[in-house]
């Protein structure tokens, strides 16, 4: 099919909720993709941090297709060994007690919110249901996770929202003023991804952890974007020196399959009982075969060391570019502020020139597959440099 016909079909049959770049990707290998016309692209996006092992990694393909041929779905009424294996690998890598599987980041956060409210209200009564999130955060697109998202731009339509969310700035003074006797949890991203790749200050995060511990407030970390090796440790909290009570993960977890996970530590392991939560597709065997393939590779120290090295290389190359003003982020989750030009227009020019990049607020955002090669990085950086010079 030719591109104009593809574009027409998209416009006719899909709800117009997305603005897309003019490329129809049909094939990929690691961090290289091809469109319907055979044009080649270097991929610095990994499908928004999803394809941890790149496009169609052979081991991952084998695990997923093998499971599809064996048994694809059985509902949560029966035991699923492959789901248990994925859960065990994930809990070990995270140092957490147990996990609930859903299908997306927003759902993982919905589960975290339910855990927090049940924990708080079981222990301290019905009023104890308030959750503090941070300004400039992003937690998802469901009505409740939009309410959790601390950005007025996301609070425009779809009212009324779920109540009980209050927003603080990323410092202890503001958190201290926002917490009340009815606060059951604080939910934070350690690097605010959609907010512009903004890492939280380490001292603040450690003080927040102590504060929460003292007040019996759950510390919940949204690792939907930062998790699964993205920042150079398996979870980002592992390099912040804290141990949260609840962690959500999603994007990079299934290597390209839809999955969300809400991990809980001992304190919350028994908060949800039979009937309190559920998901028809949650823990699906095909998806969990993908999760196991990803986690068993990414949790290994040599793999994470490679991510750190490639992240440091990407950062230093970006910092050296004349047309980049500053670089922020951790590991292979980086944001670069251009000297000239709007990120959106630069990203469009990059696509035209054969490089896929993301944007977030005032930065170009880079979330390449964790398996990207040095050659692919160099090729993409050369395209970027040329595009930036033309701004
Ligand atoms: C992407 C993202 C979400 C939402 O995930 P979906 O899978 O789109 O529901 C939530 N939190 C953070 C930090 C994210 O980056």
């Amino acid at each position: 099919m030719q591109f104009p016909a593809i574009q027409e079909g998209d416009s006719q049959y899909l709800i117009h909720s997305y603005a897309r770049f003019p490329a129809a990707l049909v094939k990929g290998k690691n961090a290289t993709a091809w469109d319907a016309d055979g044009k080649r692209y270097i991929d610095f996006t990994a499908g928004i941090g999803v394809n941890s092992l790149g496009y169609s990694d052979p081991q991952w393909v084998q695990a997923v297709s093998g499971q599809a041929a064996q048994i694809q779905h059985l509902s949560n009424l029966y035991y699923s060994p492959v789901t248990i294996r994925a859960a065990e690998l994930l809990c070990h890598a995270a140092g957490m007690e147990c996990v609930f599987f859903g299908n997306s980041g927003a759902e993982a956060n919905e589960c975290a919110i339910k855990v927090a409210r049940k924990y708080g209200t079981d222990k301290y009564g019905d009023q104890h249901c308030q959750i503090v999130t941070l300004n400039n955060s992003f937690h998802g697109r469901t009505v409740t996770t939009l309410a959790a998202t601390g950005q007025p731009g996301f609070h425009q339509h779809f009212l009324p929202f779920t109540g009980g969310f209050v927003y603080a700035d990323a410092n202890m003074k503001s958190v201290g003023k926002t917490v009340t006797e009815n606060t059951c949890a604080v939910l934070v991203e350690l690097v605010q991804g959609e907010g512009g790749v903004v890492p939280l200050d380490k001292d603040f995060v450690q003080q927040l952890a102590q504060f929460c511990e003292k007040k019996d407030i759950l510390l919940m970390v949204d690792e939907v974007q930062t998790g699964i090796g993205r920042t150079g440790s398996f979870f980002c909290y592992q390099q912040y020196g804290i141990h949260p009570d609840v962690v959500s993960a999603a994007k990079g977890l299934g290597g390209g399959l839809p999955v969300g996970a809400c991990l809980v530590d001992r304190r919350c392991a028994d908060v949800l009982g039979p009937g309190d939560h559920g998901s028809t597709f949650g823990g699906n065997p095909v998806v969990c075969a993908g999760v196991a393939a990803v986690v068993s590779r990414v949790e290994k120290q040599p793999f994470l060391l490679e991510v750190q090295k490639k992240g440091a290389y990407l950062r230093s190359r970006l910092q050296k570019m004349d047309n980049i003003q500053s670089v922020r982020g951790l590991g292979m989750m980086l944001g670069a502020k251009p000297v000239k030009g709007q990120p959106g227009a630069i990203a469009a020019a990059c696509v035209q020139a054969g490089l896929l990049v993301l944007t977030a607020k005032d930065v170009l955002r880079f979330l390449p597959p964790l398996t990207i090669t040095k050659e692919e990085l160099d090729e993409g950086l050369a395209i970027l440099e040329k595009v930036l010079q033309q701004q």
Side-chain angles (χ1 to χ4, degrees), residues 104-106 109 138-140 189 222 224-225 251:
S104 68
N109 286 331
F138 180 79
H139 297 297
E189 300 157 90
D222 178 347
V224 169
Q225 193 161 151
K251 288 189 166 85

Side-chain angles (χ1 to χ4, degrees), residues 78-234:
Y78 311 101
Y79 292 94
S80 165
V82 62
T83 309
I84 297 164
R85 162 132 179 92
E88 183 181 6
L89 283 164
L90 185 56
C91 288
H92 280 177
M96 301 296 280
E97 193 81 0
C98 48
V99 59
F100 180 91
F101 284 121
N103 314 287
S104 68
E107 277 178 86
N109 286 331
E110 291 268 354
C111 181
I113 291 161
K114 285 176 78 169
V115 168
R117 290 199 162 161
K118 186 140 190 308
Y119 177 84
T121 55
D122 278 355
K123 219 165 158 180
Y124 300 106
D126 285 352
Q127 299 302 307
H128 207 80
C129 59
Q130 190 195 69
I131 296 172
V132 175
T133 67
L134 296 184
N135 288 317
N136 199 46
S137 60
F138 180 79
H139 297 297
R141 297 282 197 160
T142 61
V143 171
T144 295
T145 54
L146 278 177
T149 292
Q151 298 188 53
F154 284 96
H155 298 167
Q156 285 179 24
H157 314 290
F158 322 115
L159 302 168
F161 280 156
T162 308
F165 290 95
V166 282
Y167 318 102
D169 292 330
N171 63 66
M172 278 320 294
K173 197 171 159 205
S174 179
V175 170
K177 273 199 286 196
T178 311
V179 164
T180 71
E181 78 252 24
N182 293 323
T183 303
C184 62
V186 175
L187 172 64
V188 299
E189 300 157 90
L190 295 174
V191 183
Q192 295 180 325
E194 304 304 314
V197 195
V198 182
L200 296 192
D201 177 65
K202 197 168 174 179
D203 287 338
F204 161 63
V205 171
Q206 294 188 345
Q207 283 169 32
L208 177 66
Q210 284 171 10
F211 175 85
C212 287
E213 175 83 48
K214 210 168 69 197
K215 297 211 165 236
D216 196 15
I217 292 170
L218 298 182
L219 178 59
M220 311 206 292
V221 180
D222 178 347
E223 294 246 16
V224 169
Q225 193 161 151
T226 51
I228 326 302
R230 176 53 57 192
T231 65
S233 47
F234 188 80

